[in-house]
């Protein structure tokens, strides 16, 4: 799809055709593929599920994006799909982008769902979103908060490119690539990722082919991840206190990627927020074990 400014944006839509629309904002590095697992639940819930790749992911053109420009992109895609009002669901780093949608389009966004998303990291106590960081990593996040996005990208690029080289998404062997990717996940999340599902975009969900395709789309261009990381751990360009619609916060007690501290921080500041902490639940499980409940909750108003 071409946006009004001429940029190409890549998206997927599934669930129930003509259903109540929910826009899904993926994590990092990730893509629209992360929404595929919600297709069946969306159909059962009567939800039209739309997932848009942010700039620099997959075929979406890279640009110096911010939380607010991504919210503009979501609204533009909604216009082109003739969707007037919609809920938004942000997974992990997609969470702040979902909140930005509500902050900029209060007349259009009906509800926000955040699944294991970071709060404003420099304002947390302590000022990092994970609780498993050593002193050097803590210092790294403190440094990121004071850099411009361009400086942050330059700082992170060597390590990220090394990670991509190790993963080797260009490898034509789907099984080998999938195994390398799964080895980076929490074992419980890896098991969820390989859970067999329906065929979407010609691949069986959970298969090596589907996992490899998702990895390749997420890592084909480093610009998406680097821009996400550069703006996600510094102060936001909007305030969550100004969001007027209902906001639902779902976090896992066993999630090392996004401490429940993030959810509590947001619940204390967003006026109409509901916080749910899932016990014995890891990062991906907060979403993938609860797709039906999440989508039904977001479209119940």
């Amino acid at each position: 799809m071409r946006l009004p400014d001429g940029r190409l944006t890549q998206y997927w839509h599934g669930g129930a055709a003509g259903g109540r629309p929910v826009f899904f904002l993926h994590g990092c590095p990730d893509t629209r593929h992360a929404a595929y697992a919600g297709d069946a639940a969306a159909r059962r819930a009567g939800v039209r599920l739309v997932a848009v790749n942010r700039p620099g992911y997959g075929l979406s053109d890279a640009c110096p994006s911010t939380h607010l420009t991504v919210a503009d992109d979501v609204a533009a895609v909604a216009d082109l799909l003739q969707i007037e009002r919609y809920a938004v669901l942000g997974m992990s780093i997609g969470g702040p982008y979902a909140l930005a949608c509500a902050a900029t389009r209060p007349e259009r966004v009906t509800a926000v769902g955040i699944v294991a998303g970071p709060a404003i990291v420099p304002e947390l106590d302590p000022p990092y979103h994970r609780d498993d960081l050593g002193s050097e990593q803590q210092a790294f996040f403190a440094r990121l908060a004071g850099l411009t996005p361009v400086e942050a990208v330059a700082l992170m690029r060597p390590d990220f490119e090394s990670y991509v080289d190790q993963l080797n998404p260009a490898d034509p062997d789907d099984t080998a690539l999938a195994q390398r990717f799964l080895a980076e996940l929490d074992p419980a999340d890896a098991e969820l990722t390989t859970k067999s599902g329906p065929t979407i975009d010609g691949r069986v969900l959970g298969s090596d082919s589907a996992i490899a395709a998702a990895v390749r789309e997420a890592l084909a261009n480093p610009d998406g991840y680097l821009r996400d990381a550069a703006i996600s751990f510094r102060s936001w360009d909007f305030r969550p206190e100004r969001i007027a619609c209902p906001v639902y916060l779902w976090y896992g007690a066993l999630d090392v990627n996004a401490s429940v501290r993030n959810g509590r921080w947001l619940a204390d500041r967003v006026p109409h927020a509901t916080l749910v902490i899932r016990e014995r639940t890891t990062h991906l499980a907060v979403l993938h074990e609860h797709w039906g409940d999440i989508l039904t909750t977001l479209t119940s108003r």
Side-chain angles (χ1 to χ4, degrees), residues 196-276:
S196 184
T199 299
I200 298 180
D201 279 357
R203 300 178 181 88
V204 177
L205 200 68
S207 67
D208 290 344
S209 174
I211 294 169
V215 172
R216 292 185 183 112
E217 186 165 303
L219 298 177
N221 182 348
D223 291 341
Y225 169 88
L226 290 171
R227 188 68 187 183
D228 267 350
I231 68 173
S232 293
F233 305 116
R234 60 201 312 267
S235 295
W236 300 348
D237 44 9
F238 67 96
R239 292 302 306 181
E241 291 89 347
R242 300 183 64 181
I243 294 172
C245 69
V247 175
Y248 301 93
L249 309 164
W250 290 284
Y251 287 79
L254 300 182
D255 184 1
V256 299
N257 292 288
S259 163
V260 295
R261 290 187 297 110
N262 296 273
R264 293 191 177 105
W265 188 95
L266 288 167
D268 286 343
R269 288 159 179 80
V270 177
H272 306 288
T274 300
L275 173 63
V276 176

Side-chain angles (χ1 to χ4, degrees), residues 170-184:
D171 184 355
D173 186 333
D174 289 349
T175 298
L177 175 55
Q179 290 304 309
R180 288 194 295 275
F181 172 73
L182 293 169
E184 300 283 332

Side-chain angles (χ1 to χ4, degrees), residues 1 11-13 23 48 50 52 75-84:
M1 179 180 287
Y11 75 101
W12 169 83
H13 62 97
F23 277 80
R48 182 182 185 185
V50 184
V52 181
V77 172
D79 288 342
L80 293 167
L81 295 177
Q82 298 184 323
I83 296 172
E84 179 57 33

Side-chain angles (χ1 to χ4, degrees), residues 19-25 47-51 74-75 78 83-90 97-99 101-102 105 107-114 245-248 250 294-301:
R20 292 160 294 181
V22 174
F23 277 80
F24 178 81
L25 293 121
V47 167
R48 182 182 185 185
L49 189 58
V50 184
V74 170
I83 296 172
E84 179 57 33
R85 288 171 59 78
Y86 48 90
V88 287
L89 172 60
Y97 291 105
L99 289 170
C101 290
R105 301 295 191 287
E107 75 287 358
R108 299 186 70 174
V109 175
T110 58
V112 176
I114 305 299
C245 69
V247 175
Y248 301 93
W250 290 284
I294 288 170
L295 293 175
T296 299
T297 299
L298 287 176
T299 55
S300 61
R301 293 174 179 263

